[in-house]
């Protein structure tokens, strides 16, 4: 084998080894550094109308859902496009579905 081919194979082997190590580090980091989100946020987002109008003071329905679930907003009435039936579904869902800490959300207006 010519010396040039050996050098190319060595370089390819080094790059593959480095990429394998970095891939493993990324896999471990994604497991231990993952941000856990309350699953109720996604469900409340689905129950909102999805207009993303900003009329409630948030950039979109996901922002409002996050605020409702985390306790920053207690007023479902600020969502003008949402129908009363949908607001009731959200209230019932949050009152009957405990979060990761075991607490439920009541007292929404």
């Amino acid at each position: 084998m010519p010396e040039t081919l050996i050098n190319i194979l060595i370089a390819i082997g080094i790059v593959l080894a480095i990429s394998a190590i970095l891939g493993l580090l990324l896999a471990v980091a994604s497991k231990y550094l993952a941000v856990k989100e309350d699953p109720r946020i996604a469900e409340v987002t689905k129950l909102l109308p999805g207009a993303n109008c900003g009329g409630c003071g948030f950039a979109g329905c996901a922002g409002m859902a996050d605020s409702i679930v985390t306790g920053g907003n207690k007023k479902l009435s600020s969502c003008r496009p949402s129908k009363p039936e949908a607001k009731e579904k959200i209230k019932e869902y949050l009152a009957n579905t405990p979060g990761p800490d075991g607490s439920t959300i009541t007292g929404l207006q």
Side-chain angles (χ1 to χ4, degrees):
M1 281 184 136
E3 188 174 316
T4 307
L5 183 60
I6 293 173
N7 288 338
I8 291 173
L9 291 176
I10 289 173
I12 290 172
I14 290 172
V15 169
L16 287 174
I18 290 172
S19 63
I21 290 169
L22 291 176
L24 182 63
L25 287 174
L26 282 173
V28 170
S30 72
K31 180 176 181 176
Y32 290 105
L33 301 176
V35 176
K36 307 264 193 262
E37 184 178 87
D38 191 337
R40 297 178 297 174
I41 295 172
E43 190 61 35
V44 171
T45 303
K46 289 179 196 173
L47 293 172
L48 288 169
N52 293 325
C53 62
C56 59
F58 296 96
C61 293
M64 182 170 176
D66 182 52
S67 179
I68 290 169
V69 172
T70 58
N73 184 10
K74 293 282 187 184
K75 295 183 180 180
L76 287 174
S77 59
S78 61
C79 180
R80 305 237 188 273
S82 186
K83 296 182 178 171
E85 302 85 34
K87 291 176 185 176
E88 283 302 315
K89 283 184 183 179
I90 292 171
K91 288 179 186 178
E92 289 174 21
Y93 173 76
L94 292 175
N96 297 322
T97 307
D101 61 352
S103 65
T104 58
I105 299 172
T106 56
L108 294 174
Q109 301 172 354

